[in-house]
Amino acid sequence: MMENLVKVLAVADPAVNVYVKSEYSILNKFKATHGIDVEFDIIPFENYYEKLMKAFAGELDYDIVMVAGHLWLKDFVAKDYLAQLTEPSDKAYDEMDITEVVRDEMKIDGKKYLYPSFCDGHIMLYRKSMIEPVYGKINKKSITTDEYLDIARKYYKETSKPSVAMKAHESEIFLDILPFIRNEGIEPFDENTHMPQLDDIGCLNALNKYLELKSYAVSGTENFANDEVRKAFQNKEVPMTITWGGQLGMVMDENCIDKEDVGFLALNTSWNVTWSFGVSKASSRKDKAIKLLEYLTSKEVDKYVGSYAGSPVRKSTYEADKDNYPWYEIHYDLVTKYAKPLPKMLNAGKLMEPIYKGVYSVFTDKALPASALKNMHNQVMKLKMEESK
């Protein structure tokens, strides 16, 4: 019966598959405990936003939707898409066990709208046996993008082989270059006004360094997204890469050659987003949806998320399983110490679109850095002016 059903619209990030994997039996356990069926629809990212908007409009029947944390939350709350949520009543849920930065990301103006699924922040992976002979032993937990570039340069000059796989597909490239921009002491958007700062000399310096890194990258890296980067690193086609924390479980699975040889480092200027669950304002089954969310983000399920995706959100998971997953210590520091969100902006996706297109045009030799940045800046300024009318 429909009243004993909860429908979930989820994005096809590899990490999300944990919820439907038969070996974890997550949804079956929920049904056995609560007598509620769950339909869990996983939609490719390129089609996800359109489906999401239809769900919010009531054209598609979904109770729970996945939200890209702070990137989308302010916009969705302003447009009244999401139901406000209360804190879990069950003390065993232990909300304070969730890292503080993730708890804060679930809220706007102190009001809760989301429950966290998994983190996605920049993390560096490298092959010790390939990097240390040319660069030396790396005895720290984090590095700058300048140091990352220096390692890539030295490895390439020493071996004449590609140093890196870059996540430079048009759909990824703005967030891939973001730590390089921040390394120059500039944010692409002003933290208070949210106005673009792409005309700053720091952005030009960052873009030029990113282009230098391309010269040390594996062929075809302009087409690389998550899977391509994962495969290149797993197969030892390159000695180092930067990927998302939510990819670590897959990168370090049984297909990874010589897993014991892999080292992990946070980027000092990394970014993190917490993919999360919210309840659609249009849902007629909100109480049952909230029961499911409390279960999907419980201590029990967070351990499954950590083992499969590699990026849990609870302190207890990091502590309990740190000996099983060698990246947990670095990833915890990444989320709690180094990663910084972008501002919570209205129309964030629309404002970032010209940056993705502009950086990619430079990366693929269709535009020059300075003129492309000026064009990006002007396009975003125009969108901001239209927004304020």
Side-chain angles (χ1 to χ4, degrees):
M1 295 175 65
M2 290 296 288
E3 57 264 30
N4 281 326
L5 174 71
V6 173
K7 297 184 71 174
V8 182
L9 181 67
V11 67
D13 188 291
V16 175
N17 291 330
V18 66
Y19 299 110
V20 295
K21 283 283 184 180
S22 59
E23 57 263 42
Y24 299 115
S25 199
I26 291 171
L27 301 182
N28 287 337
K29 289 178 183 176
F30 177 76
K31 181 180 179 180
T33 303
H34 297 280
I36 300 171
D37 286 303
V38 179
E39 285 187 17
F40 204 99
D41 294 341
I42 300 177
I43 307 299
F45 184 78
E46 57 268 26
N47 307 121
Y48 181 73
Y49 199 85
E50 180 184 358
K51 291 260 189 184
L52 183 60
M53 292 300 106
K54 288 183 178 180
F56 287 145
E59 296 173 25
L60 295 175
D61 182 25
Y62 286 104
D63 305 292
I64 293 171
V65 296
M66 290 200 80
V67 175
H70 67 274
L71 280 183
W72 295 352
L73 182 55
K74 185 170 184 177
D75 205 32
F76 289 179
V77 170
K79 292 174 180 175
D80 206 28
Y81 290 158
L82 295 171
Q84 186 179 333
L85 305 173
T86 56
E87 305 297 344
S89 55
D90 185 356
K91 289 185 178 180
Y93 183 84
D94 191 7
E95 187 151 31
M96 297 305 290
D97 183 45
I98 297 168
T99 60
E100 182 179 2
V101 66
V102 171
R103 292 201 311 272
D104 290 346
E105 192 176 354
M106 303 298 101
K107 299 176 181 179
I108 289 286
D109 298 328
K111 297 175 182 177
K112 181 183 179 73
Y113 290 92
L114 300 174
Y115 278 76
S117 175
F118 66 96
C119 294
D120 248 356
H122 295 101
I123 192 160
M124 174 188 167
L125 293 79
Y126 68 99
R127 297 282 183 175
K128 299 172 188 176
S129 64
M130 299 169 76
I131 293 300
E132 289 177 358
V134 299
Y135 193 78
K137 194 172 180 65
I138 302 174
N139 293 311
K140 50 187 174 180
K141 294 182 178 181
S142 70
I143 63 168
T144 67
T145 54
D146 281 347
E147 289 173 308
Y148 184 75
L149 177 59
D150 188 43
I151 298 170
R153 185 188 298 120
K154 286 182 176 177
Y155 181 86
Y156 183 81
K157 289 183 177 179
E158 183 76 22
T159 68
S160 300
K161 295 178 181 178
S163 307
V164 297
M166 299 170 70
K167 200 172 291 187
H169 187 277
E170 187 175 342
S171 65
E172 298 274 2
I173 198 165
F174 167 53
L175 295 177
D176 200 54
I177 197 176
L178 179 57
F180 292 79
I181 295 173
R182 288 176 162 177
N183 192 65
E184 301 300 319
I186 188 72
E187 289 285 333
F189 296 93
D190 182 271
E191 292 186 27
N192 297 312
T193 67
H194 302 168
M195 288 296 183
Q197 302 184 118
L198 302 166
D199 58 348
D200 188 279
I201 187 65
C203 290
L204 180 59
N205 291 340
L207 185 50
N208 283 327
K209 289 176 181 179
Y210 193 72
L211 292 174
E212 182 189 348
L213 187 64
K214 178 189 175 184
S215 67
Y216 312 131
V218 67
S219 176
T221 203
E222 69 276 6
N223 301 313
F224 278 26
N226 288 325
D227 277 350
E228 292 80 10
V229 165
R230 172 181 59 81
K231 290 173 184 175
F233 186 78
Q234 284 185 325
N235 296 332
K236 298 184 78 168
E237 295 171 32
V238 293
M240 55 193 251
T241 194
I242 293 170
T243 192
W244 298 123
Q247 295 290 313
L248 288 175
M250 278 70 74
V251 175
M252 296 295 290
D253 68 13
E254 66 278 3
N255 296 309
C256 184
I257 299 170
D258 299 333
K259 287 193 287 187
E260 67 284 351
D261 187 39
V262 178
F264 308 91
L265 291 166
L267 295 183
N268 289 355
T269 51
S270 56
W271 170 83
N272 181 70
V273 70
T274 306
W275 274 99
S276 309
F277 297 108
V279 177
S280 172
K281 202 78 175 285
S283 169
S284 60
R285 300 178 288 261
K286 292 185 179 67
D287 289 346
K288 292 179 176 61
I290 290 170
K291 282 184 180 179
L292 178 58
L293 288 191
E294 290 184 5
Y295 174 64
L296 292 182
T297 60
S298 65
K299 289 183 178 181
E300 175 190 355
V301 176
D302 190 62
K303 292 189 76 172
Y304 296 147
V305 172
S307 66
Y308 184 81
S311 53
V313 299
R314 287 181 171 272
K315 291 177 277 188
S316 60
T317 304
Y318 285 103
E319 181 60 31
D321 291 340
K322 62 185 179 183
D323 293 334
N324 298 326
Y325 306 107
W327 61 87
Y328 266 19
E329 182 181 359
I330 295 296
H331 192 271
Y332 183 79
D333 286 346
L334 163 71
V335 173
T336 60
K337 295 180 182 179
Y338 300 110
K340 180 181 176 183
L342 286 162
K344 292 178 178 176
M345 302 184 293
L346 292 172
N347 301 310
K350 190 175 181 181
L351 294 174
M352 293 175 194
E353 187 175 341
I355 310 177
Y356 280 98
K357 291 183 180 297
V359 174
Y360 191 72
S361 70
V362 176
F363 197 81
T364 53
D365 302 318
K366 293 183 174 68
L368 296 173
S371 58
L373 282 166
K374 183 178 180 180
N375 187 41
M376 287 180 244
H377 182 86
N378 291 340
Q379 287 184 65
V380 178
M381 281 295 293
K382 183 180 178 182
L383 291 170
K384 289 292 293 182
M385 294 300 102
E386 290 172 355
E387 180 184 289
S388 63
K389 288 180 181 177

